[in-house]
Amino acid sequence: MTGMDTITYRPARDELAYTFGGRMPVAHVRSGDVLRVFTEDCFGGLVRGPADLPSRVCRMPYLNPVSGPFFVEDAEPGDTLAIHLAAIEPARDWGVSSTFPHFGALTSTSHTATLQPPLEERVWVYDIDRQTGTVRFHATGSDHSVDLPLDPMIGTIGVAPGGFEARSTIVPDSHGGNLDSPELRAGATLYLGVNVHGAMLALGDGHARQGEGEACGVGVEIATTTTLIIEVIKGVPTVWPRLETDTSIMSVGCARPLEDAYRIAHRDLVGWVSDLTGLEQLDAYQLVSQAGRAPIGNVCDPNYTVLAAVDKLLLPQPQAAYGGMHARLRQHAGVPR
Amino acid sequence: MTGMDTITYRPARDELAYTFGGRMPVAHVRSGDVLRVFTEDCFGGLVRGPADLPSRVCRMPYLNPVSGPFFVEDAEPGDTLAIHLAAIEPARDWGVSSTFPHFGALTSTSHTATLQPPLEERVWVYDIDRQTGTVRFHATGSDHSVDLPLDPMIGTIGVAPGGFEARSTIVPDSHGGNLDSPELRAGATLYLGVNVHGAMLALGDGHARQGEGEACGVGVEIATTTTLIIEVIKGVPTVWPRLETDTSIMSVGCARPLEDAYRIAHRDLVGWVSDLTGLEQLDAYQLVSQAGRAPIGNVCDPNYTVLAAVDKLLLPQPQAAYGGMHARLRQHAGVPR
Amino acid sequence: MTGMDTITYRPARDELAYTFGGRMPVAHVRSGDVLRVFTEDCFGGLVRGPADLPSRVCRMPYLNPVSGPFFVEDAEPGDTLAIHLAAIEPARDWGVSSTFPHFGALTSTSHTATLQPPLEERVWVYDIDRQTGTVRFHATGSDHSVDLPLDPMIGTIGVAPGGFEARSTIVPDSHGGNLDSPELRAGATLYLGVNVHGAMLALGDGHARQGEGEACGVGVEIATTTTLIIEVIKGVPTVWPRLETDTSIMSVGCARPLEDAYRIAHRDLVGWVSDLTGLEQLDAYQLVSQAGRAPIGNVCDPNYTVLAAVDKLLLPQPQAAYGGMHARLRQHAGVPR
Amino acid sequence: MTGMDTITYRPARDELAYTFGGRMPVAHVRSGDVLRVFTEDCFGGLVRGPADLPSRVCRMPYLNPVSGPFFVEDAEPGDTLAIHLAAIEPARDWGVSSTFPHFGALTSTSHTATLQPPLEERVWVYDIDRQTGTVRFHATGSDHSVDLPLDPMIGTIGVAPGGFEARSTIVPDSHGGNLDSPELRAGATLYLGVNVHGAMLALGDGHARQGEGEACGVGVEIATTTTLIIEVIKGVPTVWPRLETDTSIMSVGCARPLEDAYRIAHRDLVGWVSDLTGLEQLDAYQLVSQAGRAPIGNVCDPNYTVLAAVDKLLLPQPQAAYGGMHARLRQHAGVPR
């Protein structure tokens, strides 16, 4: 973690990317570098008021833009990329949400296909107050409003997939992508397996907050300035995305149906717990069954996301994950432990 | 809530019930009554050590016994039964968990059928210490142990289903049943729609604690003495189970695949929020999408369970649910508000 | 198969049953008996024209009535009941279909819950011409009509479930019930495991024909006179329903999601093929993978139905299933082989 | 359809492609051209006997190679590419199948993740006899063998996806790909929506035959010489793949869970029937519900495949699909009608 640089990147509109994979890098970063990235919102900033219906102002496939990809030096297939989310700052004093025709959990969709007409498309504009740490919801059909806690997160972050694939930024999968989990807030470290030379990290789709499952298909969408610290862990593979905070470790599963996302995440966490503690697999399965949490990420994207989480305090004598990487990155980010 | 009695019930072994519906009542209760019920664990108390493999000592369908049913006077189809969980006390100083052949989330099952042999069947015995509020896990393949927080809950509670049905106590559905959600702890009020004359309430399957999803299919199973306060809400139907705590309201969905449980719960919560606040349906959908939580109950039973929850503080000027029933029952239980 | 009787049964309206299990028998039958049963249509005969919208003229849970149950002498848990469908005759010269609010494959439903309004409810009346063997479809929104082949089947047939359960006749499961498969036509033999003393066979819900999956949730619904020949196979258990025709054997799976119905059926067929041929399990898996068919029954009921089928001619030197039961019942029904 | 050429293409080993999208074309073709393509089997021809376990001789992601892509002149986004399968000839006198660790319908998989060890990996070699039209199965654990009908099909055929994506050839989706449906036999015309300039058609993964669902995850895999006739239908979009034979029209849906594949296919077929006949949408839904078939393609790939099919004879006065394209291509292929 020597020779750390701070790389600042703000994409021009035509530099925004709509896939993971299949794109040339916009910048190079090294282990230990701090990356400050401006990310646009999922609508490319084009939805600013009730009249800006997404299906009218946005054009497929120009949705959910990400900033990047960043070529990470020395990252090779078989390595793990550790990405510490040091800060996620809303870039504007408003956020926006909407319904979108045939998208979301409580509507029929392109895949859960029915003959019914879509729900009405509608836009909600939220006020963001960083002083008070609130996001203000305004009803559209009445004059109700209420303040929700500001809890900024990055909805979409990932690396290039393997197998020569390029995947839409709408999709979450083993390469990361549109995970849409509230756990991707500042203070967390994300571990992603590297699939291609240079990893090709990209991110976007900030949310001022979202409910678990992102039921309507859209969070409180914001542009952000996001600060990351990057580190390559050589020779250690990671199959599905993993997260670590000061208190928890979490495995991420992405699939349909939703129980498969649960299964992927929990099988991974059982293996991880077994590795960190020396517990036999069945013992780790038992412990996770009683001590685990299973926060739902999204139930609207092409793959749904479920996390399997366990508090470190509930593990017997665990080793530090990835050799203590999270604590080091935390310190590097200036957070005393 | 006048004329309250305390009814105490401890079933003889051959009084245990294995269905909701299709059984004669064991006792009558009235609105306002306090019901103290002994409940056996899901194995009928027969699994007490490593040698007591459930598939050997238990015989189908004599699994997951419930105590009851209780005939609730004046409860008729179209009413709602409010059940306040005043206390859930472990009845012994140990609990037990296990794997079970072809049952659980991380194994193929009778329905997610494969040609693979089952995982090994194994038993874990936990120490329960009510003084320290801990449940001690002991590994079976090594000498690890760790204390988990004691967090007692009732896994199975419900009324008779409608349509002349009788359902196994293994099944969760709109009548309640094997919901297996950690949210069913003391302090919560459960609302169940009444389907038959007298409602026919029954309960069992206590857990000293469980992880979200009950991954291995079995919690830390305990016998309990559970104290309920019962109240009939006349003329108010409830379609899917609902929960209320001092801070939250929650709707319960039970289905396969897991996303349908999520959908059921969230559609119900959107309607409930709309009713309590006067928000238009789409506004309530939007608010729940940003403010909601979605705790998973079980991913192992014949129907999976997901809850949709929202903090009352995040609702704009809500009315009290069910006319303030939870607060009154809370007070009745001796908890000052 | 000595001492065969012909039992004729036509239920009075208030004798119709709406569950499998939980009902007293309407008649006794013995092995070798011929049973001629009148079955009402799924609407109890109340939907007779475009104005008879099912949600208006029918009242829950009085849908999908069955005739029975019939107590089968000498049938005990652990036995198999063989039911040869000797004839299925439409009882009227018309049939009826409909859409039904929030029911069917191409609409959101009670379980695949959305916020959308239901599809329009509408009734279609079909002409049935037994001379020409046709069912005439008439469009409702234009003057198109077309003749479809008459292909009568029994939608709902089953025995009482085990575990003290009583299940709605809407539900298909391991006890049979609302299987809704076009394969349940005359000439087929159905094998059902016996779960309770006397088996308690019941049937209803005839269709003049239906498409695979019964997409709109409703077939061409008819009353029928159905002729069955019954035989108890002692000491031979059957876990999931099985079917045999002159050319094929088929296993039935009922579950959600649909792939679990596929898995159940195929695992059962792999085991059955292995038993009949002496092939090792993996060889049977391989053979079924290349030679099998997988006709979909329903994708609308509380459990979906998929069959796994294989032509007997594509099996190497198979024994006759259930000791040649199908051929004997076929002969008994007067069909020379 | 003037100026027809016959283009013959046989890829060198290092020309095989493993994605749809993200590849440069290997040849140009025009409407009316006849394309004779050699396709390797899904193992790249490397599995030739029992000792050649796929997980040992093949290396990810070098599985399921396709020949192509072919740049189709004048094919632009918004057009439809009609591909008539004029002939599919096995290129060798043997085919091969296998189990594969954690892949297939009757095993836990990477996504339906469990803690169980995988099923044994095993190889089956089939004899193909084009004279007799048979594929001979040989058991591996006993000396059984049996002849199955030869029924060659192309498992994988598609165009580049839109949205700048490149997808693994293992995946079926709206661009086609690994559909794995027995309906893709000679005599069928496949309609695919064009997503990118030049369409970028590719194909491979021939099967001498497969069962519905491809239960073990692998068909009777063969190299083929496949003859296609190509035609661009300008200005007519196609959303999901469609098939036409002399007797039927079929829509293809690819998704998980399996019911979503069913829904996609049936919603598309309802719309198609409505377009061809002038039936109102609800009438078309009703007709498909009674007249439709729903053949399952695969229940093992990253997306499952279901078709919705209806016989043309069961449609009231239908127009010819795509302006009679199938009949013209049939004639062009030398088949008199």
Side-chain angles (χ1 to χ4, degrees), chain D:
Chain D
M1 243 177 273
T2 58
M4 127 193 183
D5 285 322
T6 294
I7 291 98
T8 299
Y9 176 73
R10 185 185 180 99
R13 174 151 296 272
D14 61 2
E15 287 175 328
L16 294 171
Y18 298 91
T19 56
F20 288 94
R23 296 271 303 191
M24 294 298 103
V26 297
H28 278 230
V29 297
R30 285 179 306 167
S31 277
D33 281 353
V34 175
L35 187 54
R36 271 178 66 84
V37 187
F38 176 84
T39 67
E40 247 312 343
D41 70 31
C42 74
F43 300 120
L46 299 176
V47 176
R48 293 172 163 263
D52 300 329
L53 296 184
S55 72
R56 208 178 295 157
V57 300
C58 297
R59 195 160 48 90
M60 289 292 287
Y62 301 97
L63 275 173
N64 214 37
V66 291
S67 300
F70 300 96
F71 184 99
V72 183
E73 291 189 19
D74 205 30
E76 297 295 339
D79 297 340
T80 289
L81 186 64
I83 305 145
H84 182 66
L85 299 168
I88 303 174
E89 301 159 85
R92 301 172 184 133
D93 62 358
W94 54 272
V96 72
S97 189
S98 77
T99 44
F100 194 88
H102 290 305
F103 190 76
L106 296 190
T107 173
S108 55
T109 68
S110 58
H111 283 65
T112 303
T114 80
L115 299 174
Q116 293 157 297
L119 287 177
E120 183 193 332
E121 188 175 6
R122 202 182 281 183
V123 167
W124 287 260
V125 180
Y126 288 77
D127 310 318
I128 294 175
D129 187 331
R130 294 181 58 189
Q131 289 321 101
T132 57
T134 55
V135 184
R136 179 161 294 184
F137 163 80
H138 301 280
T140 54
S142 58
D143 59 1
H144 293 86
S145 68
V146 68
D147 281 343
L148 309 177
L150 178 64
D151 186 15
M153 51 166 278
I154 278 295
T156 303
I157 182 167
V159 291
F164 316 117
E165 283 203 310
R167 303 298 305 279
S168 160
T169 52
I170 304 292
V171 178
D173 209 325
S174 56
H175 67 281
N178 196 13
L179 299 172
D180 278 332
S181 164
E183 304 296 332
L184 282 161
R185 58 175 65 87
T189 301
L190 173 66
Y191 302 103
L192 294 172
V194 176
N195 302 302
V196 304
H197 179 63
M200 298 294 179
L201 175 70
L203 63 152
D205 183 29
H207 299 167
R209 68 170 289 117
Q210 71 161 75
E212 286 179 334
E214 206 182 2
C216 76
V218 184
V220 181
E221 305 292 333
I222 54 171
T224 78
T225 302
T226 294
T227 306
L228 312 169
I229 310 177
I230 303 295
E231 188 81 27
V232 177
I233 306 171
K234 294 297 298 176
V236 177
T238 294
V239 179
W240 283 91
R242 290 174 169 180
L243 272 172
E244 185 174 359
T245 65
D246 291 352
T247 55
S248 301
I249 59 171
M250 308 184 220
S251 293
V252 180
C254 306
R256 289 189 181 198
L258 191 56
E259 54 263 40
D260 273 1
Y262 180 96
R263 287 178 179 126
I264 291 167
H266 282 76
R267 187 182 56 176
D268 190 76
L269 184 64
V270 166
W272 197 5
V273 163
S274 182
D275 287 348
L276 294 182
T277 60
L279 284 171
E280 224 183 56
Q281 188 193 56
L282 273 190
D283 280 326
Y285 183 28
Q286 173 61 215
L287 182 55
V288 165
S289 295
Q290 310 311 340
R293 286 173 292 111
I296 291 177
N298 88 76
V299 189
C300 55
D301 296 323
N303 290 318
Y304 303 143
T305 300
V306 176
L307 277 66
V310 69
D311 286 357
K312 297 174 191 176
L313 278 175
L314 302 185
L315 299 180
Q317 308 147 43
Q319 292 185 305
Y322 291 98
M325 178 58 65
H326 173 73
R328 284 204 302 281
L329 291 172
R330 244 352 216 157
Q331 194 172 30
H332 189 29
V335 177
R337 293 222 59 201

Side-chain angles (χ1 to χ4, degrees), chain B residues 18-19 21 61-62 102 109-115 163-168 171 173 240 254-257 259-261 263-264 267 270 281-282 285 304, chain C residues 18-19 21 61-62 102 109-115 163-168 171 173 240 254-257 259-261 263-264 267 270 281-282 285 304:
Chain B
Y18 299 91
T19 56
Y62 301 98
H102 290 305
T109 68
S110 58
H111 283 65
T112 303
T114 80
L115 300 172
F164 318 117
E165 283 203 309
R167 304 298 306 279
S168 161
V171 178
D173 210 325
W240 284 92
C254 306
R256 290 190 181 198
E259 54 262 41
D260 273 0
R263 286 176 180 130
I264 290 167
R267 187 184 56 177
V270 166
Q281 188 192 56
L282 272 191
Y285 184 27
Y304 303 142
Chain C
Y18 299 92
T19 54
Y62 301 98
H102 290 305
T109 68
S110 59
H111 283 64
T112 304
T114 79
L115 300 172
F164 317 116
E165 283 203 309
R167 304 298 306 277
S168 162
V171 178
D173 210 326
W240 283 92
C254 306
R256 291 190 179 196
E259 54 264 40
D260 273 1
R263 287 178 180 127
I264 290 167
R267 187 183 56 175
V270 166
Q281 187 191 56
L282 272 192
Y285 183 27
Y304 304 141

